[in-house]
Amino acid sequence: MFTIQDFIKKKKDGDKITMLTAYDYPFARIVDQAGIDAILVGDSLGMVVQGLDNTLPVTMDEMIYHTKMVSRAVTDAMVMGDMPFMSYQASISEAVKNAGRFIKEAGAAGVKLEGGAEIAPQIKAMLKSDIPVMAHIGLTPQSIHRMGGYKVQGKSEEAAKRLLEEAHIVEDAGAFSLLLEAIPMNVAKQITKELSIPTIGIGAGPYCDGQILVLHDVIGLFERFVPKFAKQYANLNKEALNAIQSYKKEVDDGKFPSKDHSFK
Ligand code: KIV
């Protein structure tokens, strides 16, 4: 089983950390079998599984439901739960209780929270309860209304400096790793160089200690849009459509079921 100690060791040894999201049993099994180090049950499930426009309506109960399915499927990868909007912002005790649900009810080994300095107290409190935390800065999708959309962050010198400060703050608060989303690659490079905890990039270039993508982007199962930073390695949408159309045609033509698929 991949652990937070392995995260740290990989950074020390200069080995890349591989992460993907997954949201259900069959895909989590495949991701685990592929040897991916850690699976994030991301609140991106609001968009790629539930068909929502953004992640904001996703609830704690929904995250627990999906994380349970993923934990059940996995033998080697570390499972992380993504804390949804308003599950950690209102109070520290609520944040700790909700983070604890991922560990106690859903079998996760850690949680991810969006934010920098503003979530430092939550990170510290979670650590006191032995809950490992990955912080997440740069483009934080739960802040779309403040950010005015899904925009690359840290482009100006001042914004880049602020990101670097935030990175140090979450490291000092005790985060075991830091996710960097949609920031210029040289800003990610500087953060990765300065921190002793590993950085995991999504749209943050090649210099991070590890990479994460949304599974449905990688396998071509989400066709509404593919972000510039995502690479599609397969087109399961097309494959599934072909299979289902073939099944329909064979039923329409009386070819399925054949005798091979029938009982005597
Ligand atoms: O919700 C999610 O899937 C994320 C991505 C950054 C991987 O947070």
Side-chain angles (χ1 to χ4, degrees), residues 21 23 40 42-45 55 82 112 114 136 141 179 181 202 212-214:
T21 66
Y23 316 100
L40 174 72
D43 65 352
S44 50
L45 66 84
T55 60
D82 197 10
K112 175 176 83 62
E114 292 185 11
H136 176 168
L179 197 147
E181 179 163 355
I202 177 165
I212 184 167
L213 283 176
V214 168

Side-chain angles (χ1 to χ4, degrees), residues 212-225:
I212 184 167
L213 283 176
V214 168
L215 175 69
H216 289 43
D217 291 334
V218 170
I219 60 177
L221 208 49
F222 184 65
E223 48 168 17
R224 245 198 292 160
F225 67 87

Side-chain angles (χ1 to χ4, degrees), residues 116-151:
E118 71 280 16
I119 58 145
Q122 283 87 333
I123 297 174
K124 285 182 190 161
M126 285 172 195
L127 271 187
K128 277 192 193 150
S129 298
D130 277 340
I131 301 169
V133 180
M134 175 185 278
H136 176 168
I137 61 171
L139 197 178
T140 46
Q142 291 174 18
S143 319
I144 42 161
H145 296 312
R146 173 174 55 80
M147 290 179 169
Y150 299 105
K151 294 179 181 161

Side-chain angles (χ1 to χ4, degrees), residues 9 87 172 184 212 251 261:
K9 186 173 182 315
S87 68
D172 293 346
I212 184 167
V251 172
H261 294 97

Side-chain angles (χ1 to χ4, degrees), residues 81-94:
D82 197 10
M83 299 202 63
F85 182 57
M86 290 318 293
S87 68
Y88 56 95
Q89 290 91 340
S91 81
I92 293 180
S93 74
E94 217 182 311

Side-chain angles (χ1 to χ4, degrees), residues 12-87:
K12 266 197 186 143
D13 296 348
D15 294 332
K16 293 284 185 188
I17 299 160
T18 55
M19 289 189 69
L20 272 179
T21 66
Y23 316 100
D24 61 20
Y25 182 89
F27 279 119
R29 261 179 77 85
I30 297 170
V31 173
D32 191 45
Q33 279 166 11
I36 293 291
D37 294 324
I39 296 179
L40 174 72
V41 186
D43 65 352
S44 50
L45 66 84
M47 296 167 83
V48 301
V49 176
Q50 298 178 332
L52 296 166
D53 286 337
N54 57 54
T55 60
L56 298 180
V58 176
T59 67
M60 257 315 288
D61 286 343
E62 287 163 350
M63 291 305 302
I64 294 294
Y65 172 76
H66 285 275
T67 307
K68 278 182 179 174
M69 289 188 255
V70 169
S71 294
R72 237 173 261 145
V74 162
T75 55
D76 294 321
M78 175 172 164
V79 176
M80 309 257 321
D82 197 10
M83 299 202 63
F85 182 57
M86 290 318 293
S87 68

